[in-house]
Amino acid sequence: MKTLAIALSFSFFLIGCTPRQTLYSWGHYEEVVYSSYSAPGKFPPERQIETLEQDYQKARSHQKSMPPGWHAHLGYLYYQTGKLDQAKQEFETEKATFPEATVFMDRLLARLPKS
Amino acid sequence: MTIRFLSWEVGVVLAGLCFGGCATAKPFDYTNFRAHQPRSILVLPPVNQSTDIRGTYGYLSTVTEPLAEMGYYVFPVAIVDQFLKDNGLPGPGEMQQAPLQKFAEIFGADSVLYLTLLEYGTQYHVLNSAATAHAKARLVDTKTGLVLWEGETRAQQVSGGGGGGLVGALVQAAVSQAVNSTADAAHLISADANTMLFTGISLSAYDAHSTGTGGPALLYGPYHPADQTSH
């Protein structure tokens, strides 16, 4: 609640200065990254995938794009859970959305075991 | 009457903030930046000089959003971290000492963001607690090794101690202590620190107990509508 209040007052402050509209739909991406470090056992990859996929549906319904690195991160979670086809698909999507990711995504794709 | 007075006062404070936050900027030489403007930024895990071991990842996980919202491609921080660990670089110190060309070669990164945490954590006092995130940042071009931009940021939030007399303050301190010890308040304030770091906007009254400074601002990147370089 307090975080929400801070976030709200911060966004009012920003609106007061310059109108701010986010470029991307962030959902729980950074929380998922944080929790994988702060409480690794409590939030297994399967639940992280579920959270991110829900965020994705929400973003699509608002016609917002996912941020840089998002599809790559989801792909990595699929890789961790052995879902290699989905991992491959997400790495390809990252590359198609952001050409800057090409070198790294190709490297990850080359390392995926053949399914 | 009291309410009217307060809202007038808040209005003045907010107006002052807008002038102070938006109008002033420290002079910074963007010559190198403009000559080698990156499209992509690889954020390495911060070297943690604080005593709170949660600092590196508590801070790293709040960098992507404000940086990507400036218009840059930001590499997925957790995968980069894992990839470097798998390739023989066990911690932020080793990662930040790796040769610059490697980051261009392996990741295709135009630039690398080096972060150092100068302060991170929550200090508990009798009547309140203070969560602080204080970092410095250096953006380096992977092709030339030139420093493109440097910034520093510090955000602090003091909880408890506000009103309610001595007993009220004690209760508040106990409550925020309990909340902070599980939630890592310094992680929450890190998001503000990073917003200030990249936008250069200093915050001081979006919460009555929070203060912070940041900047100089990073210039907008290719995915931001306000970017002025041709691409």
Side-chain angles (χ1 to χ4, degrees):
Chain A
M1 205 51 208
K2 193 169 185 194
T3 316
L4 181 67
I6 293 168
L8 274 178
S9 42
F10 179 37
S11 55
F12 283 133
F13 162 62
L14 280 177
I15 288 163
C17 281
T18 44
R20 183 176 182 263
Q21 221 185 352
T22 58
L23 298 176
Y24 307 105
S25 172
W26 287 90
H28 298 80
Y29 175 42
E30 294 213 283
E31 284 96 323
V32 163
V33 169
Y34 175 61
S35 67
S36 70
Y37 288 111
S38 64
K42 285 185 190 158
F43 202 35
E46 290 81 1
R47 285 232 1 247
Q48 297 180 40
I49 290 172
E50 204 179 302
T51 305
L52 292 180
E53 290 285 13
Q54 281 169 5
D55 287 345
Y56 185 52
Q57 294 312 320
K58 255 181 230 167
R60 277 170 67 103
S61 69
H62 293 98
Q63 292 171 345
K64 292 277 276 185
S65 345
M66 304 320 286
W70 190 91
H71 284 285
H73 191 81
L74 180 60
Y76 187 71
L77 292 171
Y78 275 125
Y79 162 74
Q80 285 184 313
T81 54
K83 295 181 172 164
L84 302 181
D85 288 343
Q86 276 127 307
K88 183 171 181 284
Q89 197 188 320
E90 293 301 329
F91 292 153
E92 295 283 5
T93 306
E94 178 81 17
K95 205 167 92 168
T97 319
F98 298 104
E100 293 83 0
T102 305
V103 173
F104 189 34
M105 290 306 107
D106 284 347
R107 200 170 284 279
L108 294 180
L109 284 163
R111 288 185 176 208
L112 279 183
K114 297 284 168 281
S115 54
Chain B
M1 278 308 273
T2 316
I3 291 166
R4 272 190 73 182
F5 172 72
L6 270 180
S7 53
W8 172 82
E9 192 182 41
V10 167
V12 169
V13 169
L14 282 177
L17 256 180
C18 277
F19 283 116
C22 301
T24 59
K26 288 173 202 165
F28 183 82
D29 185 358
Y30 290 100
T31 311
N32 285 347
F33 194 98
R34 290 204 170 91
H36 305 275
Q37 188 176 359
R39 295 187 62 88
S40 62
I41 299 178
L42 185 105
V43 182
L44 291 176
V47 166
N48 185 7
Q49 294 182 349
S50 82
T51 50
D52 191 330
I53 54 158
R54 298 173 295 184
T56 290
Y57 296 110
Y59 196 86
L60 178 67
S61 55
T62 63
V63 178
T64 307
E65 179 171 344
L67 194 53
E69 288 291 338
M70 292 294 289
Y72 294 95
Y73 179 76
V74 180
F75 287 87
V77 290
I79 313 178
V80 168
D81 175 57
Q82 191 56 52
F83 190 92
L84 293 174
K85 281 176 182 160
D86 291 346
N87 286 276
L89 301 172
E94 291 84 359
M95 293 175 192
Q96 294 203 4
Q97 274 163 29
L100 205 51
Q101 313 87 278
K102 282 280 169 199
F103 297 112
E105 187 188 314
I106 294 170
F107 300 98
D110 294 340
S111 66
V112 175
L113 186 70
Y114 295 89
L115 292 161
T116 304
L117 278 178
L118 304 168
E119 295 170 85
Y120 182 97
T122 308
Q123 283 198 310
Y124 301 106
H125 308 291
V126 179
L127 294 179
N128 60 28
S129 62
T132 309
H134 180 190
K136 59 178 184 180
R138 199 172 79 248
L139 187 69
V140 180
D141 181 42
T142 55
K143 286 180 200 76
T144 60
L146 287 171
V147 174
L148 303 181
W149 169 84
E150 276 181 293
E152 188 167 332
T153 183
R154 186 176 191 273
Q156 185 169 63
Q157 186 178 26
V158 178
S159 307
L166 183 61
V167 175
L170 280 170
V171 171
Q172 264 191 19
V175 169
S176 42
Q177 193 161 341
V179 170
N180 288 347
S181 54
T182 50
D184 187 6
H187 165 67
L188 300 175
I189 200 83
S190 294
D192 296 330
N194 280 313
T195 300
M196 293 191 295
L197 178 64
F198 303 127
T199 62
I201 298 172
S202 294
L203 309 170
S204 51
Y206 60 92
D207 177 337
H209 297 295
S210 288
T211 52
T213 50
L218 192 64
L219 302 183
Y220 289 122
Y223 288 101
H224 196 283
D227 176 41
Q228 289 173 356
T229 55
S230 54
H231 48 267

